Amino acid sequence: MTEEDDLPANFLTEKMQHSSGELVPPDGLCWLSVLFCLMLACFYVGSLYVWRSHLPRDHPAVIKRRFTSVLIVSGLSPLFVWAWRESAGVVNGPSLLVLMGIRFEGLIPAIILPLLLTMVLFLGPLMQLAMDCPWSFTDGIRVAFDPWFWMLCANDMRWLRNQVVAPLTEELVFRACMLPMLVPCAGPSTAIITCPLFFGVAHFHHVIELLRFRQGTLLGIFVSAVFQFSYTAVFGAYTAFIFIRTGHLIGPVLCHSFCNYMGFPAISTALEHPYRLTVLSSYLLGVLLFFLLLFPFTDPSYYSLPVCTLTSFPSSSCLS
């Protein structure tokens, strides 16, 4: 059996070329993929500023208007993937929705395992939250199953933005649409690193509002922007890894929502906690367990891999 026979039978493009017996992407595919991703990122961020307003971003009126624009952009984003497929000449691959991680096969593990893995990573902050929470465990369970609690959340525009709309639209645009375009060009591993750069840069638009409303010094805003870019880029790489390993959109969306709820770990507070040793031990244990479970919990055999059928690049990201 030749090396070419080992590759997925439904891959890649009619323009695929051979060099020294190995498959390589056709000329111009990478430029085309990056161009479409850049257009999609600009389209998404630009939609936030089509509304003229002198109100801050957390004002309910601003949030509602931005909901409208980003939902429209997200609804149109699959057209970018379709146009890319037509331009690149991709043939015989999975359907567009399947390629974007919208499918039923492997759905249950895709809902449970990535979210559980992320919660393991946040074991320290979760322990810290549980120790500082005035509620008992039974009170927390009671609230979680109280429909009035969720109705209050649904009426809170900031909650809807942070927990529902932002995770869904950002993962759809920056993961489900961009990764299928980047993987054939760069391979899964490089795509995992490249894709978050669009995601991180897209968050620089917050600098505009910080400067506009003079929320801090110029140096403070710059440091905040660099930190946010770094944090969102690392997080984007993680959800890109989950998307490629599972081939599902739901996992990255749930992890994104959970991380938005938890926020960046309050390590400085943990260092001053009355039960500092317990909390810090939980932080360390969570990180160790996360790396131990990272590949087992995202084992592709649980999910099947539509995105990985688009690559001729061997990668551990696509292997069990």
Side-chain angles (χ1 to χ4, degrees), residues 113-122 238 242 255 258-259 290:
L113 294 180
L115 180 58
L116 184 58
L117 179 66
T118 308
M119 293 175 72
V120 168
L121 178 62
F122 277 79
Y238 172 57
I242 291 175
C255 293
F258 174 78
C259 289
F290 171 78

Side-chain angles (χ1 to χ4, degrees), residues 48-65:
L48 301 174
Y49 292 95
V50 297
W51 310 99
R52 284 188 169 274
S53 176
H54 299 290
L55 299 171
R57 66 185 293 267
D58 287 336
H59 193 281
V62 174
I63 295 175
K64 288 179 182 178
R65 290 172 182 173

Side-chain angles (χ1 to χ4, degrees), residues 75-146:
L76 295 175
S77 59
L79 294 178
F80 283 80
V81 186
W82 175 82
W84 170 83
R85 289 185 68 163
E86 293 298 312
S87 302
V90 175
V91 293
N92 299 327
S95 69
L96 189 63
L97 289 180
V98 170
L99 194 61
M100 293 171 56
I102 303 172
R103 59 197 180 91
F104 289 106
E105 185 181 6
L107 181 61
I108 300 301
I111 291 173
I112 297 173
L113 294 180
L115 180 58
L116 184 58
L117 179 66
T118 308
M119 293 175 72
V120 168
L121 178 62
F122 277 79
L123 181 61
L126 286 172
M127 176 67 73
Q128 191 173 344
L129 185 64
M131 296 175 74
D132 295 340
C133 182
W135 294 349
S136 67
F137 179 76
T138 53
D139 288 337
I141 295 296
R142 191 179 301 113
V143 169
F145 285 94
D146 185 353

Side-chain angles (χ1 to χ4, degrees), residues 211-246:
L211 291 171
R212 181 181 169 190
F213 292 100
R214 299 178 181 177
Q215 298 176 350
T217 64
L218 186 61
L219 178 60
I221 291 173
F222 175 76
V223 171
S224 174
V226 171
F227 174 78
Q228 187 175 42
F229 170 79
S230 304
Y231 178 64
T232 53
V234 171
F235 172 77
Y238 172 57
T239 54
F241 175 84
I242 291 175
F243 182 83
I244 286 182
R245 291 277 291 177
T246 67

